Every structure is written in C-alpha cells, then in structure tokens.
Amino acid sequence: MGNFIVKKVAVLGAGVMGAQIAAHLVNARVDVVLFDLPAKDGPKNGIVLKAIEGLKKINPAPLGHSDLAAYIAAANYDDDLELLRGCDLIVEAIAERMDWKHDLYRRVAPFIGDEAIFATNTSGLSIGRLSEGFDAALRPRFCGVHFFNPPRYMHLVELIATPDTDPAIVERLETFLTTTLGKGCVRAKDTPNFIANRLGTFGMFAVVAEAQKAGLGFDVVDDLTGAKLGRAKSGTFRTADLVGLDTIGHVMKTMQDNLKDDPFAALYATPAPFSTLIARGALGQKTGAGFYRKDGKNILRFDPAKGDYVPGGAKADETVARILKKKDPAERLKLLRESTNPQAQFVWAILRDAWHYAACTLGEIADNARDVDLAMRFGFAMEQGPFEAWQQAGWTQVAEWIRADIEAGRALADVPLPQWVFEGPVAERGGVHQPEGSWSAARGAFVPRAAHPVYQRQLFPVTVAGEGAASAHTAGTTVFEDDSIRLWTLEGRGVDDVLVASIRTKVHAIGPGVIAGLARGIELAERDYQGLVIWSPDDPFSYGADLQAMLPVFMSGGAGAIGEAEKALQDAMLRLRYAQVPTVAALANMALGGGCELAMYCARRVAHLETYIGLVEVGVGLVPGGGGLAFGARRAAEEQMQAPDAYLLDFLKKYVLAAGTAQVSRSAIEAQAMGYLLPDDRIVFHRQELLYAAIREAKAMSDAGYRPPRRSTIKVAGRSAIATVSAQMLNMRDGGFISEHDYHLGRTIAEVMCGGDVEAGSLVTEEWLMALERKAFTGLLTHPKTQERIMGMMQTGKPVRN
C-alpha cells in the first residue's frame, strides 16, 4: 500500500479528549482540523474556538508551547465537512453514545477520502457495533483507538480492530501513533472497556470492597496503593478524583451493561461511595470535591459513614510500609499474606484479586500476557503489570495461595483459576513471560513480540520481567567503563560506528569522573568512530554539577580549587563543541544546570518531547559555571547577526531572564523557543526511539562531511546593557518580586553575558566569557547567602529563598 504519510488529521469532537488529542497532534507538527457542532450564539465555530483557547490554560499543559494552539483549525459540521476530503486520518472523539456516534458517521461518510483511516476514540464501546454506522466499503478502514487522558502524557493507546478491519490499516496507524505521537500501542480485543480499563476498573471495585472489609479510610488506602506498591503516587481515590468520578462511573456502567453473564458480574455494581459523590455532583478535581476536598491548606477526605468530609492525611502503618520495602518479591508477598495486620491483609487481597481476574480474563481481552502487562504499565503508571508481579513472586506458590483463598471463600468470586495456570507450559516454565514470548491463553502458546518495522527503531524497547531481554546498562560492546561513565557501541540495525557515553553517577551528576570520561570518549571517537552520543538508559539526562563532590574540594582548597574544577568543566564543554566528530546529546526528562550546559555544547541535540531543560543554579545561590552564560551571549550575538539593525540586548534578554529566574522548559518544544534547543535540533516523541535517532543523527552528520564550527569572536552588549538590565532588576527587587540576593545574582549573570566592563559592540572570545563566568561562580561560593542556599538544598532537596 506504499507509505502512509499523515499530512492532516481531522478530530471530530472538541470536548476534553478531542481537544487534547488535537493539541498533541500539533505538538507533533501535524496539521489538525478540530470539528464540533455549530454554536447557537456568536461565531458558528465558537465551541471549537473556546476549546482551543482553553488548551492554553490547562495544567499539565496539553500543548508543548501555547503558541501551537494557532495551528489547530476550527470547523463545524454545518459548513466545513468538505475539509474532511483532505484528511489522511479522522479521529472521532465525541461523547460515549452509540446512537450519537452512528448519527455522526452517517453525516460525515460522504466526505471521507478514499484512502483515509477513520478511528473512533472510545473507552469501551464495541468497535464492531460502532462499525455498523458505515457501509461495507469503509469498514476495512475503520478501527478503534483508545487514548488515555491526558493524551500528551499518558503513554498508552489501545488499538482495536474489527473482523472487517484491513490489518494493513491497523499497522499503518500503529506506526503513526508510535513514532509520530510517541505512544505505546497495545492491540486489544473488542471487549467491553478493552484491556486497561477492564482490569483497572475491576481493580477499583476490588480496592473498595477490600478496604470496606479492612475498615480503611480512603487516605490510608491511597498511601498503600500508591508509590509504596509501585503504582502512581496518587493512589486509587486521588486518581479517581483526577480522572473524574463521572468518567469512572461511565466506565463502570459499560461493564454493568455489557458483562451481565460474566462470572464476576456481581462485583460490577457501582460502589456506594461513588454513587453518593456522583449524586452530589462531587466529581473530583474538576468540581473542587470528590473523595478529597481542599479546605484552605488542609486536605479533607470523604467519610462514607458520616456522609461528610473529615481531616485526612492518615498513612500506612510503619510495619506494613517496611514489608512493602522488601526487595525480594516472594518474601514481601509471603509476609503480607501471613500478617494479621488488616492493612497487610488488604494489600495481599487486592493483589490476589487483580491476579485472579487477570488470569480469568486473559484469553478474552488480549492476545497475550505481555499486552496486558504493558497496557497496565502504560495506562496506569504501574512499575509492573499483574502477570509480571505474580511471576516474580513465584508463579506456582502464588497460584496455590490464590486457589486456597478461592476455595476458602476469601476471594471476591468463586471462579476457579484457568487450568493453564497449573498445568502445561506456563506452570512448567514458571510464568507467562519467557524469552521466546508471552503466553496467549487463546492460542495456547508463547507469542513473540510484533515484528513491525516501526519497532526496529526501539533499540531497547520496554520489556517485561521474565522476557530475558538485553539490558541497556550492559548491552553492546564496552570500550571503557568506571564508576562515572560507560563508553560502548552497538552493532547492526544502522547504528554501527558511533560511540555512546552513558553517565553512571546518581541522577547523572557531573563531577570530575564524568568530565574525564567524556574527554576520553571524545578522544576515542575522533580516533575510531563516526561520532559520540551522550545517552543514558534511565532518567534523568543530568541534574547538573555534583554538589556533594564539590563541597570537600571547597573545604580543602577554597574557591581557588573550585575555580580549577570549573575550568576543567568549561574545557570539557569546549572540547565537545570543537570535537572533530559530531557530538550529539540524547536528552530526556531533566537536563538541569550542568546537564543543560552539557547539551548546549554538543554539536547537536536530539530531545524527547518530555525533556525539561534549564539553568537553575540561582536556586543554590550560584550562577551557571560550565559555559551556560557564555552560550547565551554567543547565541544572542548569532541571532542578532540575522537582524543587524536590531539591538543586541533585545536578543540577550531572554537568556539573562531564563538564567536569572531559573526557568525550566515544560517541553522540548518550549526549550526551542527559549533558545536552549536550536532550530536544527531534533525532537523525538517516543522515548524508546531516542537512542536510535541520536545515533542516526550523528552518522548523518558524519556522512555529510561534518566539520566543527570555526573559533570566532563574539559581539557583546557591554556595560551600558548591564546598567539597563540592572535597573530593571532593581525595580523588581524594590517591588518585592525578588530578594536582595536574587538581585545580586541577576546582576552578576548580566555582567557575564554582556561581556563585563567593556564598550557595547566589543568583540570577545568564548574563553573571555568563560573566565568571567568562572570568576563570578567562585566569588559567590564565599557569599553567606549562597552558602545558606547550598546547605539548604543538600539537606532538604528544596531551594531556599533568602
């Protein structure tokens, strides 16, 4: 069928999901037309225009940068259906009503292009029944696509085909969703609520039932079912408030209406606390109250017995918390099961219930156990899926425990575990995940991973426990390794001949060992490879300089010793910039302070969309000392060269302000607008494609005959600009917006970026700017206010404002 290039997408429905799907599409530079009903009053596109404007105000932001809202075209069903003819993909995201969706399908069908894919975004309606809204000619290009909310941040997308869906259509859509939108796609069967919501909603039923048995409040339950259990830190009921109790109630009703013959059907009744809160209109965060309500600075929890809110904040018993910290899963589970503590019994019970239900429904809802585990991890932020956790705790022993509880009437239903749990390949091998694949209850075999070409870009895909896949921490060929850094290579798949540097320190902090390792990496890359990529298999990219390592150096050698260390760091940055092979920073998560500077001085940056970049040294009372201020001065001069009639200070201000206020980008897109990423840098939407894209970028630069930039002088704004910036900051200080020390730091930043006490328009070298930066950095180390900030950060992890 050739290439499937998505140039334009129509999104039908400008509600919460439709508008945010549209936002994520424009994040990915895909043209979008957002449709809704014509407004009864005002402009006919008023409903859509209001939704687009609302995208700028939502937190967390659905847009990578608020300016991207301008790229969403507004349309309505009365006037604009002709626009559908130019769309390669149409995503319907209207309310979860079968009749409404069918009415819309009949209306838009005459305008759908001959090659366009039509996908319905539904959280649980039957895709087969929805397809009946189209004639036979369009059904092969129709499928289900279930984004999780919020679409920008939630990794999971479930793909659901019907018997009529052309398999090539689903593969095309999966490729687009994976690489362009960065999603983790899981194929689900066409059953009510698909995989993640089916298991997730059952899990919520189970939590409510078991909490009532144990007599636990919602706050204690959330503490037990959050980070302590390897799940989203919001736990169960806080998550319900975030999602919306009405939304969860709808998903519950889908199970009630469509699973009447399910052996677990008796459990699907909406729990009383949900019914009570929904009836009151207390739908969670969007209404200001749900299971929790904020009262000033206090958080209250709903007490079903009293029918009112009471003080919250209760935590798990310390004895149970200690059990949950046990590293051995088998020991942890045994202790929970055998404990007489009601909280421990509660945790064992909800785990047992989840595993019981997952095993009984596997053949119905998914092709294999891997899809179930990945759906729960991608959709509910679990560290492990249900089958992974079961297998790691000891498949056979846990199965016997579950069977014993079922037979004793302690489980939520008397449904026996499937026979494949106890007999055959799974029991013999000790679990559903094996190197050759994951167990399919429907096929009765272990099923390997999909071989779609798009997944060849994921050099280290997300794996499941028991799969035995190579770890990115040890894979490939190690060229050099110590406690600070690993230099290594991969073979094949188009990523040969590029050296990879992976920082190994805690939070990838940059200290002397990392600096030495990078210098060694550049030397090796120039001698034997086509380029050097700085990438680490886990987050963050880097939190910056190693403050713990800096303190003893300062105590023993004073500011002079720190100055030498800073000189070594700056020299390493310049070595990266002027290396004879391309150096590429592969960024994800946090790149702060020295991590930001490390990225700045590479020849190119390839960043995951969710990369948060900034120079944050003022938080510890310092200024950037690894070349960050010199970078801002240089970039401002380069930008001014494109508009020579403009004032240099106009370009410099954003860099001074960003460093002076410790601004951190909220996306890689925003980092480009801030100037920390350059226009030629690449933004990758799928985290697991980052390394592939960075290595390929280095190879492409090398193949194009890469040469480092020429060393040249930099035009600076001089003392007059320092005076202008200082006056503006003085007003901020006098107005109470910044402290006296903030003012001092801001003025110091301006002095360095403006080139010091020189005439406006003077030409200086990078070394000149770095010397000013170094002097400013070391001078601040002896300032009492800076020392207060450093000690505060090291002791509490939080910035001190003084």
Side-chain angles (χ1 to χ4, degrees), residues 21 110 163 169 171 229 283 367 392 400 425 498 600:
I21 290 169
I169 289 295
E171 189 166 326
L229 206 58
L283 305 180
D367 177 62
Q392 286 207 306
E400 292 297 340
V498 171
M600 287 171 169

Side-chain angles (χ1 to χ4, degrees), residues 1 18 23 57 64 73 101 104 140 154 165 173 209 231 266 299 316 349 370 408 450 457 534 643 654 684 769:
M1 297 176 70
K57 304 170 185 175
K101 288 177 185 282
L104 180 61
M154 295 306 295
T165 306
L173 187 56
R231 300 180 180 181
I299 302 295
R370 179 180 51 253
R457 296 170 57 87
I534 304 172
K654 70 176 181 182
V684 172
L769 291 166

